[in-house]
């Protein structure tokens, strides 16, 4: 594990990956046969991914492969495309498959050749043999992608999703990667179709995550998610002021394996020690640690962030002996009309403007406090001024104050009922999980249990009913912000909502709601 004091990294970077089964195919006069069950070749651990940052619908940053060009300990054999024809408004960009070769041994490994077959047995398929011979240094990694040194730069150089091009019927034939080391060739099968983005040209056809084709690293042949996961532990702790504490981030690839050699940035984003920062490189367990000494009583929110084409993060709470919860109001997404909030005699008056809570980023006013574990927030929305039939006021659990942050919300509108919404990942489009009839005044409640979120309604704040379709699993570990959200659904006017009966308690402290 790496231990970091503020702004300072201690200890050497180690990338000692666990030993994995090595599948070797002997080569004579017959072409090597695929060995589907292995992710290793000649002592190297082989991962595949897909990198695209040229689209206007930029990828979820957790989907874009990391480590990448410029990362510590990475030999990068590739380069970006340039020019507006290839990249639109960007000066340079990638749209290419990628192969990562990790060397966990104490000796350099010489690679004679890497040969990639993307559906060559199908009309429109293609093979790639771009990188020549190279060395993977001991304890380091090599990333292979489009336009390696000495290779002519073309728009489709290792654009592995596009063969056949514009194909929307999944190709069952899996891509293969053949790696020759010491004259011995090993062919590995990309059986989970990372290089060919599900067997289709997703940049043309689209898919569950839109047309952007980015897929986070996965060991070749291993199933999983297109996204990396980032967690921070402990999720909460209560040290004595003046002592040193540590928070450890763990970064895992789309298949759940540790990602080494990635930069993790840390910051205390609120609390008595706000402004403290640090940075560390993830080790062979995908871990990087931030340590600091607390100053005075209060609750710090510590964020760990990984940046690719954007940033994705997670948070933890450090309670330095605080005695009372504090609600904090802030405008999210810089709406044109500033919001406000106040509380008197148990009633919150919250004014918010902004385009919406929706799309890929939000504009609204948010009054919240950090939570670390399984919690439940409830309130009655008494009223809201009708600036638009879809003006929204209600409750939200949110990862951060970033306008593109993931969240779960239950909101009521002046004329469009009660909505349950979520954003599953940073910068993803908001999904509507459920809509039911309702208007103010009404009681709303959100319960978080692990990674499960539920929304409920009540007429009296005593008898609750689960909103059909509201339950979801959302990958938001660690600390979250819980509170009240108001948007006017208008760029030219602000909407004011009144809340009473506001409570934030441990999940399970109230009766289980019944289905509606």
């Amino acid at each position: 594990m790496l231990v970091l004091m503020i702004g300072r990294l201690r200890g050497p970077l180690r990338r000692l990956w666990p030993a994995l089964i090595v599948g070797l195919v002997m080569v004579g006069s017959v072409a090597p046969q695929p060995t589907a069950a292995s992710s290793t070749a000649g002592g190297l651990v082989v991962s595949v991914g897909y990198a695209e940052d040229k689209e206007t619908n930029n990828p979820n940053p957790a989907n874009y492969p990391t480590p990448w060009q410029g990362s510590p300990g990475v030999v990068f054999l590739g380069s970006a495309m340039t020019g507006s024809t290839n990249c639109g408004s960007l000066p340079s960009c990638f749209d290419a498959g990628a192969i990562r070769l990790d060397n966990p041994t104490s000796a350099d490994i010489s690679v004679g050749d890497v040969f990639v077959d993307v559906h060559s047995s199908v009309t429109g398929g293609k093979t790639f043999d771009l990188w020549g011979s190279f060395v993977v240094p001991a304890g380091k990694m090599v990333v292979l992608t489009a336009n390696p040194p000495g290779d002519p730069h073309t728009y489709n150089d290792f654009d592995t999703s596009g063969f056949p091009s514009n194909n929307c019927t999944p190709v069952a034939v899996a891509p293969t990667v053949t790696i020759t080391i010491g004259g011995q060739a090993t062919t590995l099968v990309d059986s989970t179709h990372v290089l060919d983005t599900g067997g289709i040209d997703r940049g043309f056809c689209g898919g569950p995550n839109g047309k952007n084709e980015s897929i986070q690293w996965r060991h070749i042949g291993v199933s999983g998610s297109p996204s990396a996961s980032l967690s921070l532990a402990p999720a909460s702790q209560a040290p004595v002021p003046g002592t040193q504490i540590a928070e450890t981030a763990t970064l895992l690839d789309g298949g759940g394996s540790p990602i080494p050699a990635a930069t993790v940035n840390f910051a205390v984003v609120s609390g008595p020690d706000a402004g403290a920062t640090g940075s560390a490189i993830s080790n062979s367990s995908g871990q990087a640690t931030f340590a600091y000494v607390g100053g005075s009583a209060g609750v710090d929110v510590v964020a760990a962030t990984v940046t690719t084409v954007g940033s994705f993060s997670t948070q933890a709470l450090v309670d330095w002996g605080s005695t009372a919860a504090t609600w904090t109001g802030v405008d999210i997404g810089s709406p044109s009309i500033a919001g406000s909030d106040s509380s008197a005699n148990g009633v919150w008056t919250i004014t918010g403007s902004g385009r919406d809570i929706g799309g890929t980023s939000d504009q609204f006013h948010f009054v919240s406090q950090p939570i670390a574990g399984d919690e439940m927030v409830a309130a009655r929305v008494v009223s809201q001024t009708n600036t638009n039939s879809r003006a929204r006021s209600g409750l939200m659990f949110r990862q951060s104050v970033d306008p593109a942050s993931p969240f779960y919300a239950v909101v009521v509108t002046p004329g469009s009922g009660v909505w349950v919404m979520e954003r599953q990942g940073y910068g993803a489009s908001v999904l509507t999980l459920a809509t039911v009839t309702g208007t103010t005044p009404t009681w709303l409640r959100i319960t978080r249990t692990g990674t499960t979120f539920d929304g409920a309604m009540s007429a009296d704040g005593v008898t609750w009913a689960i909103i059909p379709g509201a339950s979801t699993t959302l990958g938001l570990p660690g600390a979250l912000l819980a509170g009240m959200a108001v948007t006017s659904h208008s760029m030219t006017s602000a909407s004011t909502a009144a809340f009473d009966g506001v409570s934030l308690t441990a999940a399970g402290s109230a009766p289980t709601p019944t289905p509606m």
Side-chain angles (χ1 to χ4, degrees):
M1 179 181 299
L2 297 175
V3 177
L4 173 75
M5 296 300 292
I6 297 173
R8 181 180 179 185
L9 181 66
R10 288 184 175 178
L13 176 64
R14 299 191 303 270
R15 302 177 184 87
L16 301 178
W17 286 67
L20 299 174
I21 298 173
V22 177
L24 298 177
V25 179
M26 301 302 293
V27 177
S29 59
V30 180
Q33 298 301 305
T35 55
S38 177
S39 297
T40 65
L44 299 175
V45 181
V46 182
S47 301
V48 286
Y50 200 98
E52 180 181 359
D53 60 354
K54 70 181 179 65
E55 298 288 355
T56 54
N57 57 321
N58 285 333
N60 177 352
N63 288 24
Y64 198 89
T66 186
W68 193 244
Q69 187 175 20
S71 297
V74 173
V75 178
F76 194 83
L77 299 183
S79 59
M81 301 180 293
T82 59
S84 59
T85 300
N86 294 321
C87 302
S89 61
L90 298 175
S92 64
C93 63
F94 283 95
D95 182 7
I99 299 168
R100 196 181 95 212
L101 306 176
D102 289 61
N103 181 359
T105 75
S106 58
D108 295 350
I109 296 178
S110 297
V111 176
D113 187 60
V114 175
F115 180 86
V116 181
D117 188 327
V118 182
H119 316 141
S120 67
S121 61
V122 175
T123 301
K126 188 176 176 67
T127 61
F128 299 88
D129 193 357
L130 305 175
W131 302 278
S133 60
F134 54 88
V135 173
V136 185
K140 299 184 183 298
M141 63 180 67
V142 168
V143 171
L144 311 174
T145 188
N147 305 320
D151 189 67
H153 288 205
T154 62
Y155 79 94
N156 66 353
D157 192 0
F158 212 53
D159 181 359
T160 51
S161 71
F163 301 96
S165 64
N166 301 345
N167 171 61
C168 298
T169 301
V171 177
V173 178
T176 60
V177 178
T178 300
I179 301 171
T180 301
I181 298 173
Q184 199 167 48
T186 301
T187 297
L188 304 177
V189 181
D190 179 19
S191 57
T192 57
H193 294 269
V194 173
L195 291 174
D196 61 355
T197 62
I200 65 171
D201 186 350
R202 205 174 77 193
F204 175 79
C205 309
N209 296 305
K211 290 188 175 183
N212 191 282
E213 298 175 305
S214 294
I215 300 175
Q216 184 57 250
W217 295 120
R218 290 211 300 264
H219 289 179
I220 189 168
V222 173
S223 60
S225 163
S227 303
S229 65
L230 180 66
S231 60
L232 196 56
S236 64
Q237 54 181 309
V240 175
T243 59
Q244 178 178 295
I245 61 94
E247 289 285 346
T248 298
T250 301
L251 180 64
L252 303 179
D253 68 17
S257 296
I259 297 180
T263 300
V264 182
N265 295 311
F266 297 90
V268 181
V269 295
S270 66
D273 299 295
T277 62
S279 182
I281 307 301
S282 59
N283 63 13
S284 61
S285 298
Q287 294 184 330
T289 296
F290 172 62
Y292 73 102
V293 176
S296 58
V299 178
D300 284 338
V301 176
V302 180
T305 301
V306 173
T307 299
T308 57
V309 292
S311 298
F312 59 101
S313 63
T314 188
Q315 299 176 138
L317 300 185
V318 182
D319 188 341
W320 301 98
S322 64
T323 58
T326 300
W327 294 92
T328 302
V330 63
D331 279 335
I332 304 290
S334 302
S336 56
I337 301 174
S340 63
D341 56 82
S342 62
S343 176
N345 300 318
V347 178
W348 277 94
T349 302
I350 302 174
T351 298
S353 70
R355 182 191 65 257
D356 197 10
I357 299 170
T360 58
S361 65
D362 309 317
Q363 285 186 321
F364 67 103
H365 194 76
F366 191 36
V367 178
S368 69
Q369 61 178 277
I371 63 169
D374 296 344
E375 298 274 348
M376 181 167 54
V377 62
R380 183 174 68 147
V381 186
V382 180
S383 63
Q384 182 178 17
T385 53
N386 187 358
T387 52
N388 185 284
S389 64
R390 291 194 178 188
R392 308 182 194 274
S393 55
L395 306 177
M396 177 182 287
F397 281 14
R398 190 176 185 90
Q399 188 172 68
S400 74
V401 296
D402 190 295
S405 169
F407 72 82
Y408 179 93
V410 181
V411 296
V412 62
T413 67
S416 299
V418 174
W419 293 53
V420 182
M421 304 180 296
E422 70 174 6
R423 178 179 290 122
Q424 295 179 336
Y426 180 93
S429 295
V430 167
L431 302 177
T432 300
L433 300 176
T435 56
V436 295
T437 301
T439 189
T440 57
T442 188
W443 286 85
L444 303 177
R445 193 169 85 184
I446 298 175
T447 303
R448 175 208 199 189
T449 307
T451 56
T452 298
F453 293 78
D454 286 296
M457 295 175 60
S458 173
D460 57 10
V462 177
T463 302
W464 293 87
I466 297 172
I467 300 172
S471 181
T472 188
T473 298
L474 200 55
L476 296 180
L480 299 178
L481 300 174
M484 298 162 281
V486 175
T487 184
S488 62
H489 202 78
S490 170
M491 302 294 288
T492 59
S493 58
S495 177
T496 298
F499 297 76
D500 66 9
V502 179
S503 65
L504 184 58
T505 57
S509 60
T512 301
T514 57
M516 292 182 70

